[in-house]
Structures are given as structure tokens and as C-alpha cells.
């Protein structure tokens, strides 16, 4: 007989809201009786081109050696990332699973019971999870109506217990960039570590990574899940000040990056043709969606757009699209996002045309 032992679990875990991922093809196929190959998945910001052919070859070639541990510090991947980012290896850490592993590791070494982290909302929901798991308390600061940040509000929320300020640029789910001047103002006026999530930065016109050279309390996280099309391998990396790399490495989980992910990441970084195709597809597609979706669409610097279906409700419109075999992401699970926003991943031109048509039909059906 299996018994529940909640008394063994620290109470902070019960305060964590369950992370809500985008719907899977299997879920929608089962729910609406749709043939899986006909379903378009535009709810999780994945690369519709798939991974680089070079990365796929690397996976096939590496698979027979899966019985061997990878390097503990992913040195070969970090060396290639050094060339890609322009930072020395001493500023780079590789993380698994994905950038989430980087967030877990930073919270593990920084957050103690009673510490605070600042999270501007709405944004990526995962930031509060590792903080709470370490006994920390999220302090939420609402963004402006256009989803921009007010640096004064962020700094006004800082207390002696603030250890990390989480910022996302481009922000998920709104797609807007954090201005450099705003980041400088925040970093220069806090004792806390400022973490900038640049998961979607390859799709943007600019990045903020260079400021890591200027500030010793600034860290940047990135991922292979988006532009590189390796979401299923859960590979991320961080660009950190050297002092933080040393402490992070001391407490990091050994071998957190699998051998397959490591080799695929190296190969993906070498395929500039696939990288450029992925970037161009997203940039052209998001402009098409912004011009043609028959609702208000926010400007985006990511591989998705945010749609406001007011006066309709996001849940109803999303369900209507899913019944048609098109998976999008209603944003009601994002804290303080309201009930009228839908995030739509940029797909192929054919997929984009279908989603536009589905929105047009939904406008009259819902």
C-alpha cells in the first residue's frame, strides 16, 4: 500500500504554482479526434524548421557512445560558445536541462530562506519556481500596459533581502525588448544579481550581453531550444561574470549536459545557414501575422506574437483554434496577463496563413 507522506516535503514546495506548458499534439489529437500529422503546433515557440541537419547527424554519430559520460564542464561546447558570443570560456557555463537548469543552479547558490527575488509580470512563469524551492519569496512588479518596465518601480521593490532580479528580453509572452538604459539604471542601483533571460535574442535587433563586461552583478541566460531547434535536448548556457562562474561550477550538478546535447549543440553552432534561415523565417513571419491577424497584435522581437482578442476571451478563441487543429497559447496562466491574450508562435508561411484564417473564422464563431 502506498501512503502519502506530505510531512516529508518542505512547506515551500506546496507554495509553488504548477508550471503550465503549452498543449501537445497528442493532447489535442485525443481531445478533438484530429489526425496528429494535420495538427499545427504554434503554442510553445519551437522552431518550425526543426534542428540543423548537422545537429541531427551529430546525434546519430554520437548515439553509439551514449554509455560514456560527457565532460563534466562541457568544455568543448563552451569553447565553441566562446567564439559565438565573443566572451572567453571563463565567462561561460553550459546548463541542463535547458536554461531552467541555469536558473536552478543560480538559485541554489544564492537564495536562502527568506530572501527575495523580483519578477516583473507578466513574464516567463518559471522564475519563481526555483526561488520558492530554495525558500525564497517572489516579489511581483507589474509591467506597464504596453509591457515595458518602469525601472523606478523595479528599484522601489528592492529590499535588503533582494538577491536576484529576473528580467526577460525579449519578454515572454509580450516579445518586447528591454532598453539598455533601463537595464543600466537597474544594475547600477542594486546590490542584487540582475539576471537577463535572452532565450529569444537571436530573433531580435539587439542584445544586452555585452554589459556583462561592465557589471559584476549582471548575468545573461540563453538557450538552444528556440532558434537552434533543440528544445527536446534541453540545453542552455549562461554568460556570467567570472567570479560567479567559479561559484556556480562549485555547486552545479556534474554532467548536467548530456553527451548527445553537447555534440548536437556544437554542431548547431556551426550551421550558420540553418541559423540564418530560422531567424529570417521568424522575422518575416511575425510581420505577416501582425499585419493579417484580425485582432490587435503587439510588436515583437521574438519568434512569436502576442494577440489581444478583446472583447473575446483568450480561452474560448484558443479552444476554437485547437478544434481546427491549430495549437496556440492562451496567456491566462501567466500571472497578471489577463484573459484576452494569446501567444502565437511564428510558423512556416503555410502555417501562418492557416492561423490567420482560423482567427478570422473564430472572430465570427466565438
Amino acid at each position: 500500500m502506498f501512503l502519502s507522506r506530505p510531512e516529508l516535503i518542505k512547506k515551500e514546495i506546496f507554495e509553488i504554482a504548477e508550471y503550465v506548458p503549452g498543449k501537445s499534439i497528442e493532447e489535442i489529437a485525443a481531445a478533438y479526434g484530429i489526425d496528429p500529422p494535420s495538427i499545427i503546433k504554434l503554442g510553445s515557440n519551437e522552431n518550425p524548421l526543426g534542428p540543423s541537419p548537422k545537429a541531427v547527424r551529430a546525434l546519430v554519430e554520437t548515439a553509439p557512445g551514449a554509455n560514456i559520460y560527457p565532460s563534466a564542464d562541457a568544455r568543448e561546447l563552451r569553447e565553441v560558445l566562446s567564439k559565438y558570443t565573443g566572451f572567453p570560456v571563463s565567462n561561460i557555463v553550459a546548463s541542463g536541462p535547458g536554461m531552467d537548469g541555469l536558473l536552478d543552479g543560480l538559485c541554489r547558490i544564492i537564495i536562502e530562506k527568506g530572501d527575495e527575488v523580483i519578477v516583473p509580470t507578466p513574464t516567463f512563469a518559471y522564475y519563481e519556481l526555483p526561488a520558492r524551492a530554495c525558500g525564497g519569496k517572489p516579489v511581483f512588479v507589474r509591467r506597464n500596459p504596453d509591457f515595458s518596465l518602469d525601472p523606478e518601480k523595479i528599484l522601489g521593490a528592492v529590499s535588503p533581502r533582494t538577491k536576484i532580479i529576473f528580467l526577460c528580453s525579449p519578454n515572454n509572452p509580450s516579445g518586447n525588448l528591454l532598453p539598455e538604459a533601463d537595464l543600466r539604471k537597474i544594475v547600477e542601483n542594486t546590490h542584487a544579481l540582475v539576471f537577463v533571460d535572452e532565450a529569444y535574442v537571436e530573433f531580435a535587433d539587439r542584445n544586452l550581453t555585452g554589459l556583462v563586461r561592465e557589471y559584476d552583478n549582471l548575468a545573461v541566460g540563453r538557450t538552444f531550444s528556440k532558434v537552434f531547434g533543440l528544445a527536446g535536448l534541453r540545453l542552455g548556457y549562461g554568460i556570467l561574470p567570472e567570479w560567479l562562474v567559479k561559484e556556480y561550477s562549485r555547486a552545479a550538478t556534474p554532467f548536467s549536459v548530456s553527451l548527445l546535447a553537447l555534440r548536437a549543440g556544437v554542431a548547431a553552432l556551426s550551421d550558420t545557414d540553418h541559423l540564418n534561415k530560422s531567424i529570417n523565417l521568424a522575422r518575416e513571419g511575425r510581420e505577416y501575422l501582425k499585419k493579417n491577424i484580425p485582432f490587435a497584435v503587439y510588436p515583437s522581437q521574438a519568434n512569436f506574437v502576442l494577440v489581444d482578442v478583446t472583447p473575446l476571451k483568450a480561452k474560448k478563441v484558443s479552444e476554437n483554434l485547437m478544434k481546427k487543429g491549430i495549437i496556440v497559447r492562451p496567456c491566462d496562466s501567466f500571472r497578471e496577463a489577463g484573459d484576452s491574450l494569446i501567444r502565437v508562435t511564428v510558423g512556416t508561411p503555410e502555417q501562418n496563413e492557416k492561423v490567420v484564417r482560423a482567427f478570422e473564422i473564430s472572430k465570427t464563431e466565438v
Side-chain angles (χ1 to χ4, degrees), residues 122-133:
T123 195
F124 183 45
Y126 191 78
Y127 303 137
E128 65 179 280
L129 194 155
R132 287 191 187 276

Side-chain angles (χ1 to χ4, degrees), residues 87-356:
F87 278 82
V89 174
S90 56
N91 283 112
I92 299 172
V93 298
S95 66
M99 196 198 303
D100 299 345
L102 177 63
L103 297 171
D104 290 343
L106 289 173
C107 285
R108 183 192 302 176
I109 65 174
I110 293 174
I111 302 300
E112 297 179 292
K113 186 175 178 60
D115 286 340
E116 296 175 353
V117 301
I118 293 177
V119 181
T121 58
T123 195
F124 183 45
Y126 191 78
Y127 303 137
E128 65 179 280
L129 194 155
R132 287 191 187 276
C134 293
K137 174 189 174 185
V139 175
F140 301 105
V141 179
R142 189 157 191 171
R143 291 171 175 268
N144 297 323
D146 63 354
F147 302 107
S148 62
L149 288 181
D150 184 338
E152 295 295 342
K153 286 185 179 179
I154 298 294
L155 293 171
V158 173
S159 79
R161 295 306 303 264
T162 303
K163 290 292 187 68
I164 304 177
I165 299 173
F166 289 109
L167 306 175
C168 190
S169 181
N171 185 52
N172 177 14
S174 53
N176 58 308
L177 289 172
L178 174 65
E180 180 179 317
D182 289 353
L183 177 58
R184 286 184 182 275
K185 186 169 187 176
I186 293 169
V187 173
E188 291 174 0
N189 291 280
T190 181
H191 60 276
L193 176 72
V194 179
F195 181 89
V196 179
D197 177 344
E198 288 193 337
Y200 301 95
V201 79
E202 279 88 359
F203 304 109
D205 295 335
R206 55 183 171 79
N207 67 71
L208 297 165
T209 311
L211 297 189
V212 174
R213 296 187 178 93
E214 300 182 39
Y215 301 104
D216 63 3
N217 63 329
L218 176 63
V220 171
R222 291 187 177 178
T223 182
F224 282 79
S225 294
K226 307 305 177 183
V227 75
F228 293 108
L230 297 176
L233 293 182
R234 312 303 297 120
L235 177 61
Y237 66 100
I239 302 170
L240 319 178
E242 285 192 29
W243 71 266
L244 186 55
V245 170
K246 179 180 177 181
E247 304 309 325
Y248 178 91
S249 301
R250 187 199 307 272
T253 303
F255 312 111
S256 68
V257 176
S258 73
L259 181 64
L260 291 170
L262 192 158
R263 297 283 174 77
V266 170
L269 287 164
S270 74
D271 195 342
T272 55
D273 286 343
H274 187 268
L275 175 64
N276 290 331
K277 286 179 183 177
S278 299
I279 292 171
N280 292 334
L281 183 78
R283 290 180 173 179
E284 293 170 7
R286 72 192 179 201
E287 291 306 310
Y288 172 83
L289 293 176
K290 186 176 188 302
K291 291 178 182 177
N292 291 280
I293 289 177
F295 292 99
V297 181
Y298 287 89
S300 174
Q301 287 278 299
N303 68 335
F304 57 83
V305 295
L306 185 65
V307 182
D308 188 343
V309 297
T310 300
L312 304 178
K313 300 300 182 185
K315 187 173 182 180
K316 286 288 187 182
V317 176
S318 297
E319 287 178 353
N320 191 274
L321 265 64
M322 290 180 196
K323 289 176 183 177
K324 296 174 172 41
I326 299 174
I327 302 173
V328 293
R329 180 70 182 271
C331 295
D332 51 345
S333 64
F334 287 80
R335 187 182 295 271
E336 296 184 319
D339 60 3
S340 66
L341 299 175
I342 298 175
R343 192 188 68 195
V344 182
T345 305
V346 177
T348 64
E350 295 76 17
Q351 291 172 336
N352 295 337
E353 290 174 8
K354 288 182 180 179
V355 79
V356 166

